[in-house]
């Protein structure tokens, strides 16, 4: 059933959802989908509940965790037909959203407004990120659109209490601040995506340490965000060797 205003909307990371679809297509996953299966597939424990709920909300698995006809169609689709099949899923599940916005033309703020009546309210930015990420993978919006949209742009900017990021004045040091809104150029002249900057900003400061569990969660989250923001391209030479090593 398509999502409806006043009801829940999926908000798992798009990289996680797309990785699970790829794994099911290419290697097969044990069914029914449950916490154990997702854990073996590399989904962090904290993401398992929202990922399962999102797979149900996207009508890819049923309440028992079994693949639906939509997911089976994605598994059987050829590489040439996959995007079109995924577009069918996205347009069906988000039919109400498409009545109000066209993600190929409207900016992320307008898209965010279309999700104001969905639950949970505090996850609206993640709902938008998933919607745009799936739309991009399905060819509904141009490739690269999501990387240009700051994930924080759909929520008000409120300074967090007890923030681990201190301003130069507060720390007594001079230097640029690091955060999701910082514009840091890459060696090629582009900008590091806001989502990655936000993760970098959460690193311990002043040489402080962290627990192994917190470090492992950071690395796993960083890997998922990096895979989504910087997709692997087919190629040769060193780039292909690095891609093979990562698999």
């Amino acid at each position: 059933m398509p999502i409806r205003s006043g009801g829940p909307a999926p908000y798992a990371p798009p990289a996680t959802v797309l990785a699970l679809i790829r794994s099911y297509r290419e290697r097969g996953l044990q069914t029914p989908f449950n916490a154990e299966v997702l854990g073996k597939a590399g989904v962090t424990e904290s993401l398992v509940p929202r990922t399962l709920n999102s797979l149900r909300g996207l009508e890819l698995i049923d309440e028992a965790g079994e693949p639906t006809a939509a997911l089976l169609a994605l598994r059987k689709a050829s590489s040439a037909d996959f995007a079109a099949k995924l577009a069918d899923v996205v347009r069906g599940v988000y039919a109400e959203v498409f009545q109000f916005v066209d993600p190929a033309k409207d900016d992320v703020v307008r898209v965010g407004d279309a999700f104001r009546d969905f639950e949970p309210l505090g996850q609206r930015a993640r709902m938008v990120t998933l919607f745009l990420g799936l739309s991009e993978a399905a060819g509904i919006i141009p490739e690269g659109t999501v990387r240009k949209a700051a994930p924080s742009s759909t929520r008000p900017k409120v300074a967090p209490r007890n923030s681990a990021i201190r301003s130069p004045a507060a720390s007594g040091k001079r230097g640029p601040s690091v955060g999701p809104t910082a514009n840091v150029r890459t060696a090629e002249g582009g900008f590091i995506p806001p989502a990655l900057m936000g993760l970098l900003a959460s690193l311990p400061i002043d040489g402080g340490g962290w627990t192994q569990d917190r470090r492992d969660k950071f690395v796993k989250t960083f890997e998922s965000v990096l895979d989504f923001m910087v997709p692997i391209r087919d190629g040769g030479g060193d780039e292909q060797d690095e891609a093979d090593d990562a698999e």
Side-chain angles (χ1 to χ4, degrees), residues 212-223:
Q212 184 67 46
D213 180 64
R214 184 180 171 192
R215 179 191 179 279
D216 291 344
K217 289 180 179 179
F218 175 91
V219 172
K220 178 64 70 173
T221 302
F222 188 91
E223 182 180 8

Side-chain angles (χ1 to χ4, degrees), residues 37-85:
V37 171
L38 266 59
K40 291 180 179 179
V43 180
T44 60
E45 184 178 354
S46 61
L47 287 178
V48 166
R50 78 179 66 164
T51 301
L52 284 172
N53 286 334
S54 294
L55 291 174
R56 295 188 189 100
L58 293 168
E59 300 182 343
L60 297 178
I61 62 174
D62 60 23
E63 290 299 321
E66 296 291 349
T68 62
L71 183 55
L72 291 173
L74 290 175
R75 181 181 184 180
K76 297 176 182 179
S78 65
S79 297
D81 293 336
F82 175 76
K85 293 292 185 182

Side-chain angles (χ1 to χ4, degrees), residues 218-238:
F218 175 91
V219 172
K220 178 64 70 173
T221 302
F222 188 91
E223 182 180 8
S224 296
V225 174
L226 182 64
D227 286 344
F228 177 62
M229 293 291 176
V230 188
I232 297 174
R233 306 295 186 197
D234 292 333
D238 294 339

Side-chain angles (χ1 to χ4, degrees), residues 162-175 177 205-206:
N162 301 323
S163 173
I165 307 169
R166 296 183 294 178
S167 67
S171 64
K173 301 178 181 179
R174 293 182 179 181
S177 60
I205 63 172
D206 298 333

Side-chain angles (χ1 to χ4, degrees), residues 10-181:
Y11 60 93
T16 301
V17 173
L18 291 170
L20 286 171
I21 294 174
R22 277 198 305 271
S23 295
Y24 187 65
R25 274 172 54 82
E26 298 170 4
R27 295 187 293 273
L29 289 176
Q30 178 184 344
T31 57
F33 284 76
N34 53 34
E36 181 180 1
V37 171
L38 266 59
K40 291 180 179 179
V43 180
T44 60
E45 184 178 354
S46 61
L47 287 178
V48 166
R50 78 179 66 164
T51 301
L52 284 172
N53 286 334
S54 294
L55 291 174
R56 295 188 189 100
L58 293 168
E59 300 182 343
L60 297 178
I61 62 174
D62 60 23
E63 290 299 321
E66 296 291 349
T68 62
L71 183 55
L72 291 173
L74 290 175
R75 181 181 184 180
K76 297 176 182 179
S78 65
S79 297
D81 293 336
F82 175 76
K85 293 292 185 182
L86 182 59
D88 289 340
V89 172
V90 174
R91 291 190 181 279
V93 170
Y94 293 100
E96 182 175 318
V97 174
F98 279 102
Q99 291 178 2
F100 297 98
V101 295
D102 180 352
K105 299 178 180 178
D106 297 322
D107 61 27
V108 69
V109 175
R110 184 175 176 83
V111 173
D113 286 340
F115 282 84
R116 286 188 178 276
D117 293 331
F118 292 99
E119 298 288 344
L121 297 177
Q123 302 296 342
R124 186 162 59 93
R126 286 173 172 163
M127 296 176 195
V128 174
T129 298
L130 177 58
F131 170 67
L132 292 177
L134 294 176
S135 294
E136 184 176 282
I140 296 173
I141 60 178
E143 187 174 336
T145 299
V146 178
R147 292 196 295 276
K148 296 178 182 177
S152 60
S153 60
T154 59
R155 61 175 70 174
K157 293 180 175 61
V158 179
R161 292 177 295 176
N162 301 323
S163 173
I165 307 169
R166 296 183 294 178
S167 67
S171 64
K173 301 178 181 179
R174 293 182 179 181
S177 60
V178 177
T181 59

